[in-house]
Amino acid sequence: MTTPAGQGRERGAREADPGLDAILSERRQLMSVAYRLLGSVAEAEDAVQETCARWYALSPEQREAIASPGAWLTTVAGRVCLNVLSSARVRRETYVGEWIPEPLPDGTEWTTARSGGACGDPADRVTLDESVHLAFLVVLDSMTPAERVAFVLHDVFCLSFAEVAGIVGRTPAACRQLASSARRRVRAARPSAVPAAERAGVVREFRRAWETQDIDALIGLLDPGAVATADGGGRAVTFPHPIEGGERIAGALLEIARHRSGDLALLERTVSGQPGLVAVRDGVVVSVFAFDVADGRITRIWVMRNPEKLSRWTADRTGVTRSST
């Protein structure tokens, strides 16, 4: 809760800089856009910071001449993210192991969206909630930077193709084609809709089978063509390459369970809007597991072990007490 003194300081800052209202009101929107474009909270925060810096680099007269500060900020954030995406492919060539988008804990916000343009066929449109699911972010990561920006800004945030064109630096017709190409990828990768309760039930049975080292139950819960991918970033021990096949994944999980220390707790938690698991040791989150489920079986497992990508998984989100170390 903001104190009276804090409220006074905020009012004073706003009076000294009327444009501060634009920044404060749009920051959540900018984070929402940047995270979905980049798949990384840290990179999204940097992109938003850069966007705000460019706003303050304008003269007061220039800021006053901007009819829609929110649209201006979103446009700049889109361009910043496009530049980050273009350089990210080079950086990831030196990344140790597999790179997975950063999973979000339950309760993360950034869900404000502005309907600024036509979104196309509602049946094809991705909902804002769906757009943070790890399976969706993984598909986005397979796109070219221009495809990703065009698709996310139009299909998720409803910017018109004319607005997207100003960000991507292409014609509206070209941006329409980019979004269409991206949409085909999403359709091809999008699994059948599975109720949250069903997903949670499968994940719960998976946890029980893993904890009891029941190899037959694990194999039964894993699709024969399942794939498990882990991201340690060179900072945590994990399997370096994706494991393909339900039986191979079950065998690897059993080996992990045999060497797991007794102080490691496996908790059922929401991960990027879907039922998942969180491994906690001494009050510190050490692993986050996200799943994709189809026809009652797990088809994909994503394991986040890189501590830099687990910074948002604080104690109040896991329901445990964090150690002081």
Side-chain angles (χ1 to χ4, degrees), residues 258-276:
R258 287 171 178 159
H259 293 88
R260 190 173 66 199
S261 59
D263 61 346
L264 188 73
L266 204 56
L267 310 175
E268 296 174 19
R269 295 291 182 267
T270 298
V271 177
S272 293
Q274 296 282 9

Side-chain angles (χ1 to χ4, degrees), residues 1-241:
M1 180 179 296
T2 305
T3 64
Q7 292 172 348
R9 285 194 298 270
E10 185 173 299
R11 281 196 301 272
R14 287 177 172 173
E15 290 170 1
D17 178 13
L20 184 60
D21 275 330
I23 294 291
L24 294 175
S25 64
E26 294 295 331
R27 192 172 186 87
R28 181 179 296 179
Q29 168 78 2
L30 297 177
M31 276 299 298
S32 185
V33 169
Y35 171 73
R36 287 160 178 82
L37 287 177
L38 301 175
S40 163
V41 174
E43 288 184 348
E45 289 174 338
D46 288 345
V48 172
Q49 189 66 28
E50 172 64 20
T51 300
C52 295
R54 294 189 186 186
W55 170 265
Y56 282 111
L58 300 174
S59 68
E61 293 75 19
Q62 288 174 317
R63 290 200 292 267
E64 289 176 6
I66 294 174
S68 175
W72 187 93
L73 290 164
T74 299
T75 296
V76 173
R79 289 172 180 162
V80 171
C81 290
L82 182 61
N83 291 335
V84 173
L85 286 170
S86 298
S87 63
R89 291 180 178 270
V90 176
R91 293 200 311 275
R92 287 176 194 171
E93 289 178 359
T94 61
Y95 192 82
V96 179
E98 299 293 317
W99 189 94
I100 297 175
E102 185 174 342
L104 293 179
D106 187 25
T108 300
E109 295 182 351
W110 315 332
T111 55
T112 302
R114 181 189 302 103
S115 296
C119 296
D121 186 347
D124 288 335
R125 182 162 183 267
V126 175
T127 67
L128 201 65
D129 288 342
E130 184 184 2
S131 67
V132 297
H133 296 174
L134 209 60
F136 180 81
L137 291 173
V138 169
V139 175
L140 289 182
D141 204 51
S142 69
M143 299 176 184
T144 67
E147 279 180 329
R148 185 169 185 167
V149 171
F151 175 75
V152 169
L153 293 183
H154 178 267
D155 283 41
V156 180
F157 290 96
C158 292
L159 270 68
S160 69
F161 283 122
E163 292 173 302
V164 174
I167 295 170
V168 179
R170 305 193 188 188
T171 66
C175 291
R176 186 184 298 277
Q177 288 299 317
L178 288 170
S180 178
S181 173
R183 203 174 295 124
R184 286 194 294 271
R185 295 196 193 200
V186 171
R187 285 199 203 102
R190 181 183 284 177
S192 57
V194 179
E198 181 179 336
R199 287 178 178 269
V202 172
V203 172
R204 183 171 297 113
E205 290 303 314
F206 173 85
R207 179 181 64 81
R208 290 172 180 167
W210 192 11
E211 288 182 330
T212 58
Q213 301 183 34
D214 187 338
I215 186 69
D216 291 331
L218 281 173
I219 292 174
L221 288 165
L222 291 163
D223 186 88
V227 179
T229 306
D231 181 341
R235 295 174 174 79
V237 177
T238 190
F239 46 95
H241 306 291

